[in-house]
């Protein structure tokens, strides 16, 4: 019997699916019930969102919680309802629940990483409910920002691993997070660059943000010239003019070298700054000994902080001496 598209019929179909050992891909009966529900609820309604959210919570508690073998199937179901639930607070509730489940069981459970990656992309592409208002305010995608912060937390202990892939593999979800962000960035390059810039201006996050930007450029994304429509390119140059952290400067110059071939016709206004950066790098050892010019640049950097939120990244013997 065909589903009516009601929440009752949907719940019945999902519960029937979990009455036996769930399998992937989802069976036709369940897929048809989901499609019928989505067809009936194309337009967003907060009351509908709340009821579906509550019903999924009951199903999760009854059939999924504490059973890692069922996490992938639940994500496969849940991600089809992202546009119906839609409210960021409710989606973040599930993000937190499933994020912890994926992290603890990603390696052991077959298909869990794949379903998690697909679900994450659905959230990233949906963006915020009021996208136009966010664009006017210069706000970043809240789901992408949450994932980016999670990636930076994962990346922190890896920074001292000397690039050993064996340290990154195993149970770590750092790589899937990074690949998910880059995949989203290819589809939404300007949004991705705005997100990177929001954290690049903070000294605490500069090195990790530069690493992410390098990885992104290596994947040869389209429309990389859009960086000129964001503050990121100017902040990249600012880093190379004012920072004294060897790690930050090394990553920034690598990033700059990778970016320049993508916008040769737009470089003329930046030539004086680029020559100044070149001269600074030529005499880098002199600056590190504490010359007057370096002190002057530090003063300039401090004056920029209050105006734009920029924070200079200074030399740190513990981190910058790591090879």
């Amino acid at each position: 019997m065909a589903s009516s598209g009601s929440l009752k019929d949907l719940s019945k179909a999902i519960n029937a699916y979990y009455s036996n050992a769930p399998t992937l891909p989802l069976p036709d009966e369940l897929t048809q019930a989901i499609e019928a529900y989505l067809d009936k609820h194309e337009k967003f309604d907060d009351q509908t969102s709340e009821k579906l959210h509550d019903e999924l919570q009951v199903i999760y508690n009854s059939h999924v919680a504490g059973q890692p073998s069922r996490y992938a199937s639940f994500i496969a179901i849940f991600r089809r309802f992202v546009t119906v639930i839609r409210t960021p607070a409710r989606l973040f509730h599930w993000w937190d629940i499933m994020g912890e489940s994926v992290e603890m069981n990603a390696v052991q459970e077959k298909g869990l990483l794949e379903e998690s990656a697909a679900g994450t992309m659905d959230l990233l592409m949906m963006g915020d409910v009021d996208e136009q208002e966010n664009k006017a305010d210069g706000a970043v995608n809240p789901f992408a920002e949450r994932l980016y912060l999670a990636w930076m937390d994962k990346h922190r202990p890896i920074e001292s691993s000397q690039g050993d892939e064996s340290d990154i593999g195993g149970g770590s979800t750092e790589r899937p997070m990074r690949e998910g962000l880059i995949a989203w960035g290819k589809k939404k390059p300007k949004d991705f660059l705005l997100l990177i810039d929001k954290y690049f201006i903070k000294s605490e996050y500069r090195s990790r943000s530069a690493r992410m930007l390098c990885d992104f450029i290596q994947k040869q994304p389209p429309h990389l010239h859009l960086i000129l429509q964001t503050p990121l390119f100017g902040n990249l140059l600012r880093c190379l003019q004012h920072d004294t952290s060897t790690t930050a400067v090394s990553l920034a110059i690598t990033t700059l070298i990778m970016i320049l071939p993508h916008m040769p016709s737009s470089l003329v206004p930046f030539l004086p700054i680029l020559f100044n950066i070149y001269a600074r790098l030529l005499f880098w050892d002199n600056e590190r000994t504490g010359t007057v010019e370096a002190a002057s640049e530090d003063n300039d950097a401090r004056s920029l902080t209050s105006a734009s939120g920029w924070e200079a990244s200074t030399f740190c013997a513990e981190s910058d001496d790591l090879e």
Side-chain angles (χ1 to χ4, degrees):
M1 181 177 178
S3 172
S4 66
S6 66
L7 180 59
K8 181 179 179 180
D9 283 355
L10 175 65
S11 178
K12 182 179 179 181
I14 298 176
N15 279 292
Y17 170 66
Y18 278 116
S19 64
N20 301 306
T23 59
L24 288 173
L26 299 176
D28 292 341
E29 296 82 357
L30 178 55
T31 301
Q32 291 169 5
I34 292 173
E35 290 176 351
Y37 180 85
L38 294 176
D39 289 342
K40 190 174 180 179
H41 300 87
E42 292 182 357
K43 188 175 181 180
F44 175 74
D45 176 75
D46 188 67
Q47 188 175 11
T48 299
S49 168
E50 183 178 13
K51 289 181 178 179
L52 177 61
H53 169 82
D54 292 342
E55 186 62 29
L56 288 174
Q57 185 69 67
V58 171
I59 293 171
Y60 178 83
N61 292 339
S62 301
H63 299 292
V64 182
Q67 302 183 63
S69 62
R70 297 189 168 197
Y71 292 158
S73 62
F74 185 80
I75 293 175
I77 293 171
F78 171 80
R79 71 185 188 88
R80 287 163 169 78
F81 299 116
V82 165
T83 56
V84 178
I85 297 176
R86 194 170 179 176
T87 307
R90 293 176 187 136
L91 291 173
F92 279 135
H93 167 79
W94 289 107
W95 180 297
D96 293 337
I97 291 177
M98 299 313 301
E100 183 178 353
S101 301
V102 170
E103 182 175 349
M104 295 177 62
N105 300 278
V107 176
Q108 298 90 334
E109 298 301 329
K110 182 179 179 181
L112 183 54
L113 268 181
E114 290 78 4
E115 286 297 335
S116 175
T120 298
M121 183 58 69
D122 289 341
L123 285 172
L124 295 179
M125 292 306 296
M126 189 191 74
D128 203 332
V129 176
D130 198 345
E131 185 175 351
Q132 294 303 320
E133 181 178 343
N134 272 336
K135 285 186 179 295
D137 294 340
V140 299
N141 182 313
F143 304 107
E145 184 171 19
R146 176 74 71 93
L147 182 60
Y148 188 60
L149 288 170
W151 172 79
M152 286 195 290
D153 284 341
K154 288 290 179 187
H155 191 272
R156 184 191 299 273
I158 294 170
E159 289 185 323
S160 60
S161 67
Q162 301 181 11
D164 186 353
E165 288 293 328
S166 63
D167 293 331
I168 301 177
S172 174
T173 53
E174 182 274 337
R175 181 180 293 177
M177 288 180 178
R178 171 164 40 94
E179 291 176 348
L181 284 163
I182 290 174
W184 168 70
K186 286 185 173 183
K187 297 176 182 291
K188 298 280 189 176
K190 188 173 180 180
D191 291 345
F192 176 86
L193 295 169
L194 286 170
L195 173 61
I196 295 293
D197 181 70
K198 181 175 180 178
Y199 290 92
F200 184 82
I201 64 174
K202 305 296 183 182
S203 60
E204 176 186 359
Y205 302 118
R206 185 157 306 135
S207 294
R208 281 170 282 175
S209 295
R211 288 181 192 274
M212 173 63 79
L213 187 55
C214 283
D215 287 344
F216 178 64
I217 298 170
Q218 284 180 334
K219 299 297 183 180
Q220 299 183 344
H223 311 301
L224 193 56
H225 63 276
L226 292 175
I227 193 173
L228 293 175
Q229 297 180 20
T230 74
L232 182 54
F233 186 71
N235 285 327
L236 185 65
L237 298 181
R238 185 177 296 178
C239 165
L240 291 169
Q241 293 177 90
H242 298 289
D243 282 356
T244 56
S245 165
T246 53
T247 301
V249 170
S250 296
L251 288 167
I253 194 62
T254 300
T255 304
L256 180 65
I257 291 170
M258 296 169 68
I259 289 176
L260 292 182
H262 293 271
M263 48 185 200
S265 61
S266 304
L267 293 180
V268 174
F270 300 102
L271 288 179
I273 296 176
L274 292 173
F275 280 121
N276 286 339
I277 291 171
Y278 176 66
R280 185 182 189 227
L281 295 178
L282 282 178
F283 297 98
W284 181 257
D285 290 339
N286 292 340
E287 180 171 320
R288 284 288 310 281
T289 62
T291 61
V292 174
E293 289 79 6
S296 175
E297 287 187 347
D298 284 344
N299 291 333
D300 290 342
R302 283 193 291 271
S303 68
L304 289 168
T305 301
S306 59
S308 63
W310 172 267
E311 299 175 0
S313 182
T314 57
F315 177 79
C316 174
E318 293 181 358
S319 59
D320 286 318
D321 283 344
L322 288 174
E323 295 296 333

